[in-house]
Amino acid sequence: MFYTLDNYYGVKFYNDTREALKNNQIKFKEFIEIKSPYNWYIKLDDNLKPIMVNYDEKQKYRFLVQKVKALRSNEEYLLQRREDDAGTNIKKYIFNDAFRDSEEYGIFFHIKSKDELLKISKEFPGKIYYLGKYYDNKYRVCICNNIMIKNYINPGQILLEKTPEMKEPGKFEAEFNYRVLKLNDYIVKYTETIYAINGSLVRPKVFDTENKKIFI
């Protein structure tokens, strides 16, 4: 379930609540609404509710995308919520390297294996970002910002291509979550993304070893 406190409390209270969840070792995920009023949401396990505070809730909502996760302690500070971070200002919270590169054009596609990704990257002249396994491992999802990638993959591998209607920050990702993942899963983003280039896989120097979703 997704919960927002924004209709009742300010940004400082949100940040304090977030720290309290961490201090009490409660697992949670942060999401941001990509359209007005750009509320922030906390996703908790279904058996948990923030009953000590006022809140609004949603079970599924197509205009939410997950906030970028920090890989380093200094990035936690940079990604901390601040006042007046709405509209296009949400980009610093929802865009990582892969989505910044795909701001003008992007295409989601899926691969069968690491070997397939490396084989494609050996011939394709550019970066191919690997976003992880989704929808009960049905899709191993990649994203690329070069339309020429369509010459190196089969049409059936294409999951979603960016159109002019998806230019607003977060819309491309939200549409993928809605159309492809059916809101049963959501793209996970870190400050750095695994990518393939020239037949090699490049991983961030700091890596979340606990999240099996992003393993390839």
Side-chain angles (χ1 to χ4, degrees):
M1 194 71 73
F2 299 91
Y3 302 96
T4 182
L5 313 179
D6 287 6
N7 295 323
Y8 308 96
Y9 309 100
V11 170
K12 183 181 184 304
F13 187 85
Y14 175 90
N15 288 333
D16 289 345
T17 301
R18 182 182 181 278
E19 286 304 306
L21 288 169
K22 289 174 62 179
N23 293 340
N24 289 291
Q25 300 180 336
I26 302 297
K27 291 184 178 181
F28 68 96
K29 298 175 182 177
E30 291 180 277
F31 286 76
I32 300 175
E33 189 174 14
I34 62 166
K35 67 186 188 77
S36 181
Y38 303 101
N39 285 338
W40 287 50
Y41 284 76
I42 292 173
K43 187 176 189 299
L44 298 173
D45 290 341
D46 290 340
N47 62 328
L48 297 175
K49 283 182 177 289
I51 58 175
M52 299 297 290
V53 296
N54 295 312
Y55 63 87
D56 295 317
E57 67 181 36
K58 292 183 183 295
Q59 186 171 9
K60 290 186 177 181
Y61 185 42
R62 67 180 294 180
F63 297 109
L64 292 180
V65 299
Q66 195 162 176
K67 177 189 166 187
V68 173
K69 294 174 175 284
L71 287 174
R72 302 167 181 82
S73 57
N74 67 307
E75 293 169 345
E76 283 277 2
Y77 174 76
L78 294 174
L79 290 170
Q80 181 177 304
R81 187 179 183 183
R82 291 172 173 79
E83 298 285 352
D84 301 322
D85 281 327
T88 56
N89 288 338
I90 66 171
K91 288 196 292 186
K92 64 184 177 183
Y93 300 109
I94 65 172
F95 279 4
N96 64 353
D97 48 2
F99 283 89
R100 280 193 299 270
D101 284 356
S102 303
E103 188 169 3
E104 295 301 319
Y105 173 82
I107 185 168
F108 289 105
F109 65 97
H110 70 95
I111 54 170
K112 293 180 180 179
S113 65
K114 173 182 175 181
D115 290 341
E116 182 184 12
L117 174 58
L118 295 179
K119 181 180 178 182
I120 295 170
S121 74
K122 196 169 185 178
E123 301 175 358
F124 175 71
K127 283 184 181 180
I128 303 171
Y129 290 99
Y130 176 71
L131 300 177
K133 294 173 282 190
Y134 295 90
Y135 216 150
D136 293 329
N137 297 335
K138 182 178 180 180
Y139 300 120
R140 293 174 183 262
V141 179
C142 297
I143 188 172
C144 182
N145 69 345
N146 188 333
I147 195 172
M148 295 300 293
I149 191 66
K150 294 166 75 173
N151 296 327
Y152 297 83
I153 59 177
N154 297 320
Q157 291 178 262
I158 297 173
L159 297 172
L160 185 66
E161 186 173 7
K162 193 167 192 176
T163 63
E165 293 77 24
M166 303 178 196
K167 288 292 186 183
E168 295 87 355
K171 187 68 181 295
F172 183 41
E173 179 184 351
E175 287 299 304
F176 180 82
N177 291 335
Y178 177 70
R179 297 188 194 185
V180 180
L181 302 182
K182 311 299 182 185
L183 302 184
N184 292 313
D185 210 344
Y186 295 84
I187 289 293
V188 177
K189 301 163 293 186
Y190 290 85
T191 41
E192 289 184 53
T193 309
I194 298 170
Y195 65 89
I197 191 168
N198 298 328
S200 298
L201 200 65
V202 180
R203 300 179 186 272
K205 292 181 179 179
V206 180
F207 197 71
D208 184 354
T209 57
E210 296 184 1
N211 188 358
K212 306 302 182 186
K213 181 184 287 288
I214 61 172
F215 286 13
I216 185 169

